[in-house]
């Protein structure tokens, strides 16, 4: 089967399988494999998708997004709107009503105090919250009564659904995390590895970067769910082994993010044990350009911070030439086939937010050389490497360990060498690279390299919070425990002002136009080099029912509805 066929039909053919009525825990164990192993179960301390999604089995938001991108209530009774009185007429506040009767897995009541605590935890100025952009503009979170919480913003906010919506912004228990505020947050190992939640499962054992075991939550709000009594969540290895474990050997039931060449997927499916599922959301493989100097010669604590600008990557001639030298159609062909598209954009989806102001589908080596020549960035000593102000264009290019990414690195290194840029390649175990350990030199947040490549996406269909990742004050730094979503340390006054305008703008068309401008400022000013708009591609066992791929939220968003098919 071709990947194109999967993209068109896989969701429709698998999503609507009827749910077999069963009692909680009647279907035994379900086995999940993420080749990027979770390193923590607190998504506020890690921006890594693997950590956010593993945690989503346990901790939940007030609302999340379904497979069509619609916002649906989870812990809330309904979605607040102006029409139902949940959003104030002046758009400066949103009031959530919590569904009655929800308890934590330890049997204690879930209340508005937990919601307020979660906001205080993430917004603590001495902490380092990976999801702090969700709380942009929030001035207060008030527990009005046990089942009512009011969020107030500093200005009219037409899209007030950043806090507590989607898998990246869940609620943590106030009682459990009370002693973990601010700088103490990363030190709370027990809490970060074994969070108490409201979700369908409870952690029984967490081995970082290895395996997590879960059991059904006895206090889950639906007495018939989850169908599975236990979950084995294996991390590590590589995408190839993960795909084979589901589609060829049947050892696992679900494999996430099969970042593999199309022909490899097709061969695996012939094994007859599993089925790929795919769909396009806003996921983009990109190269982030460090706006700061990562040199190890700088004092620790100052590397990759705003104290030291990068010696050449802020030069438009350099980053534009680097982009021009890349053959994106070839990258799509060898890496993703029909599960990839060329993109110049940070935000390629939903379609309304996809900018059309740039083209990048044709490689131009000669044009890149001329751009550098005209800027006076030339090879003065004949070693094949250009210099800017006496500094050689030598870069460290890092990414996670993955066959497709290493292929991309090799090609891009060659193309950059053709325009006079020397590249040293590094690949880092994904569990470490996407981990949140503030002491590790190898995380993508710490960014101890000149450029790094990975993919990122956002929950929901409105990119306001995601675009907030380009704000000056969201850069990771020692004071934030190296957390923060502005990985490039990009800082542009026009961008910050425009994002503030987006936060106050109503109407899809107007919001889309501002979002496109923000996208263009980031890309055209060297914050990143977008490469491929990627389809999400995972696989599930043919015996696993209830799977609905969701490109707008956690892929495990509806694991409470999964079940074992009978007669398979």
């Amino acid at each position: 089967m071709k990947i194109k066929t999967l993209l068109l039909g896989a969701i429709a053919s698998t999503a609507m399988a009827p749910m077999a009525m069963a009692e909680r825990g009647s279907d035994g164990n379900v086995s999940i494999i993420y080749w990027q192993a979770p390193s923590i179960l607190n998504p506020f301390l890690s921006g890594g998708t693997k950590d956010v999604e593993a945690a989503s089995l346990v901790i939940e938001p007030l609302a999340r997004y379904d497979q069509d991108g619609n916002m649906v209530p989870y812990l809330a009774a309904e979605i607040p709107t102006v029409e139902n009185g949940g959003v104030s007429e002046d758009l400066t506040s949103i009031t959530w009503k919590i569904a009655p009767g929800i308890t934590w897995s330890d049997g204690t009541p879930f209340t508005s105090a937990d919601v307020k605590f979660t906001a205080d935890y993430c917004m603590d100025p001495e902490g380092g919250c990976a999801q702090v952009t969700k709380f942009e503009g929030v001035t207060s979170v008030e527990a009005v009564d046990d089942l009512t919480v009011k969020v107030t913003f500093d200005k009219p906010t037409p899209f007030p659904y950043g806090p507590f919506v989607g898998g990246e912004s869940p609620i943590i228990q106030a009682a459990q995390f009370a002693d973990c505020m601010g700088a103490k947050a990363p030190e709370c190992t027990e809490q970060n590895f074994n969070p108490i939640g409201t979700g369908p499962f409870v952690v029984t054992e967490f081995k970082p970067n290895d395996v997590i075991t879960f059991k059904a939550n006895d206090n889950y709000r639906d007495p018939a769910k989850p169908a599975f009594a236990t979950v084995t969540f294996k991390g590590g290895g590589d995408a190839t082994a993960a795909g084979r474990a589901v589609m060829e050997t049947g050892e696992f039931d679900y494999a996430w993010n099969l970042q593999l060449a199309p022909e490899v997927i097709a061969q695996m499916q012939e094994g007859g044990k599993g089925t790929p599922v795919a769909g396009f959301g806003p996921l983009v493989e990109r190269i982030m350009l460090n706006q700061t100097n990562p040199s190890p010669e700088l004092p620790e604590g100052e590397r990759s911070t705003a104290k030291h600008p990068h010696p050449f990557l802020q030069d438009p001639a350099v980053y534009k030439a680097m982009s021009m030298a890349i053959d994106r159609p070839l990258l799509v062909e060898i890496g993703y086939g029909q599960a990839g598209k060329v993109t110049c954009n940070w935000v390629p989806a939903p379609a309304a937010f996809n900018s059309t102001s740039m083209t990048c589908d044709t490689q131009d080596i000669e044009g890149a050389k001329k751009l550098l020549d005209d800027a006076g960035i030339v090879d003065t000593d004949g070693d094949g490497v250009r210099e800017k102000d006496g500094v050689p264009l030598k870069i460290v290019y890092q990414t996670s360990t993955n066959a497709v990414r290493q292929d991309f690195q090799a090609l891009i290194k060659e193309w950059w060498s053709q325009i006079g840029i020397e590249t040293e390649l590094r690949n880092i175990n994904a569990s470490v690279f996407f981990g949140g350990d503030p002491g590790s030199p190898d995380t993508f947040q710490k960014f101890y390299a000149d450029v790094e490549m990975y993919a990122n996406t956002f929950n929901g269909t409105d990119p306001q919070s995601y675009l907030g990742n380009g704000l000056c004050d969201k850069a990771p730094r020692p004071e934030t425990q190296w957390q923060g979503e502005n990985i490039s340390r990009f800082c542009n006054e026009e961008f910050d002002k425009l994002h503030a305008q987006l936060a106050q703008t109503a109407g899809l068309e107007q919001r889309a136009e501002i979002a496109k401008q923000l996208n263009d400022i980031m890309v055209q000013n060297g914050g990143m080099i977008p490469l491929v708009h990627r389809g999400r591609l995972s696989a599930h066992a043919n015996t696993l029912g209830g799977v609905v791929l969701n490109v707008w939220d956690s892929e495990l968003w509806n694991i409470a509805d999964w079940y074992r098919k009978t007669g398979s």
Side-chain angles (χ1 to χ4, degrees), residues 119 123 134-141 150-154 157 163:
M123 296 170 66
K134 308 295 186 299
F135 295 88
E136 189 72 18
V138 173
T139 56
S140 69
V141 177
K150 181 180 179 181
V151 181
T152 302
F153 298 89
D154 58 4
T157 303

Side-chain angles (χ1 to χ4, degrees), residues 345-347 352-358 467 490 492 494-495 497-499 501-502 509-525:
N345 292 325
W346 180 18
V347 181
F353 293 92
N354 184 43
S355 173
T356 57
S357 67
M358 297 173 281
L467 289 164
F490 182 80
N492 180 287
E494 181 187 0
F495 184 98
K497 288 181 179 177
L498 200 57
H499 190 270
Q501 183 181 337
L502 174 64
E509 289 187 12
Q510 294 89 339
R511 291 180 65 77
E513 284 308 309
I514 295 173
K516 290 175 187 177
Q517 293 175 51
L518 289 164
N519 173 92
D520 294 354
I521 291 171
M522 171 64 77
V523 175
Q524 292 171 2
N525 289 276

Side-chain angles (χ1 to χ4, degrees), residues 259-518:
Q259 192 176 1
L260 299 165
E263 62 273 14
V264 175
I265 296 290
Q267 290 168 4
M268 288 180 179
Q269 194 181 2
E270 292 175 1
K273 300 283 190 179
T275 302
V277 287
F280 277 100
L283 184 67
V284 170
E285 189 82 11
R286 83 289 296 277
I287 293 173
M288 305 301 286
L289 305 173
N290 200 337
Q291 305 291 290
T292 62
N293 193 340
S295 172
E297 296 178 6
L298 294 171
E300 188 62 30
E302 295 186 13
R303 292 178 67 185
S304 289
T305 70
K307 291 181 181 179
H308 302 280
H310 198 281
F312 55 80
L313 281 180
Q314 293 189 23
D315 191 307
V318 175
Y319 59 74
K320 289 179 180 179
M322 291 168 71
S323 180
M324 291 167 65
I326 295 172
D327 187 342
R328 289 174 177 81
L330 181 58
L331 295 181
V332 169
E333 179 184 344
I334 67 163
Y336 301 101
Q338 294 292 334
K341 305 174 185 177
V342 168
T343 189
C344 314
N345 292 325
W346 180 18
V347 181
F353 293 92
N354 184 43
S355 173
T356 57
S357 67
M358 297 173 281
T359 57
C360 58
D361 54 359
T362 303
Q363 184 186 42
D364 187 1
I365 295 288
E366 294 307 314
K369 290 179 181 177
K370 185 177 187 303
L371 192 62
L372 293 167
D373 288 342
D374 291 347
I377 303 172
V378 297
D379 176 11
T380 57
D381 54 12
D383 65 352
V385 180
R386 295 174 185 263
E387 296 94 30
K388 173 178 166 59
D389 300 328
V391 178
L393 268 59
K394 296 182 177 181
I395 63 175
V396 174
Y397 174 8
Q398 69 182 19
T399 189
S400 63
T401 304
N402 169 271
V404 171
R405 287 191 169 134
Q406 270 68 80
D407 286 345
F408 278 25
Q409 280 186 305
L411 285 168
I412 292 170
K413 175 181 179 176
E414 170 57 28
W415 295 328
W416 285 346
S417 74
Q418 293 178 32
I419 64 171
I421 298 175
E422 182 179 305
T423 307
E424 175 189 338
L425 302 180
R426 293 182 67 213
N427 69 82
I428 301 164
N429 180 282
S431 300
V432 175
F433 186 63
F434 294 114
D437 182 359
S440 171
D442 294 322
T443 65
F444 80 110
Q445 299 101 323
K446 192 162 277 188
F447 205 170
Y448 280 180
D450 300 283
V451 303
E452 63 185 10
M453 180 173 65
Y454 59 91
N456 205 352
T457 186
F458 59 91
N459 285 180
T461 55
D462 189 285
Q464 178 181 312
S465 293
Y466 187 61
L467 289 164
N469 295 345
L471 296 171
C472 295
D473 65 353
K474 299 302 182 290
R477 52 196 184 278
E479 306 90 86
T480 66
Q481 317 295 324
W482 292 104
Q483 292 294 345
E485 296 290 84
N486 184 350
I487 303 302
S488 288
R489 288 70 160 144
F490 182 80
C491 190
N492 180 287
E493 185 177 345
E494 181 187 0
F495 184 98
D496 280 22
K497 288 181 179 177
L498 200 57
H499 190 270
Q501 183 181 337
L502 174 64
Q504 300 178 65
T505 300
L508 177 61
E509 289 187 12
Q510 294 89 339
R511 291 180 65 77
E513 284 308 309
I514 295 173
K516 290 175 187 177
Q517 293 175 51
L518 289 164

Side-chain angles (χ1 to χ4, degrees), residues 24 41 54-59 103-107 176 190 193-206 212-220 226 228-233 559:
R24 177 179 295 155
L41 290 178
S56 73
L57 276 68
V58 178
I59 51 177
T103 63
W104 293 100
S105 59
D106 63 3
Q176 186 185 26
E190 171 61 25
F193 285 4
N194 297 280
I196 294 167
T198 57
F201 293 98
V202 175
V203 182
T204 52
E205 185 178 22
F206 178 55
I212 315 167
T213 53
F214 302 87
K215 66 177 181 179
N217 176 4
D218 292 335
N219 291 305
Y220 187 58
F228 288 104
T230 56
V231 179
T232 302
F233 195 117
I559 192 169

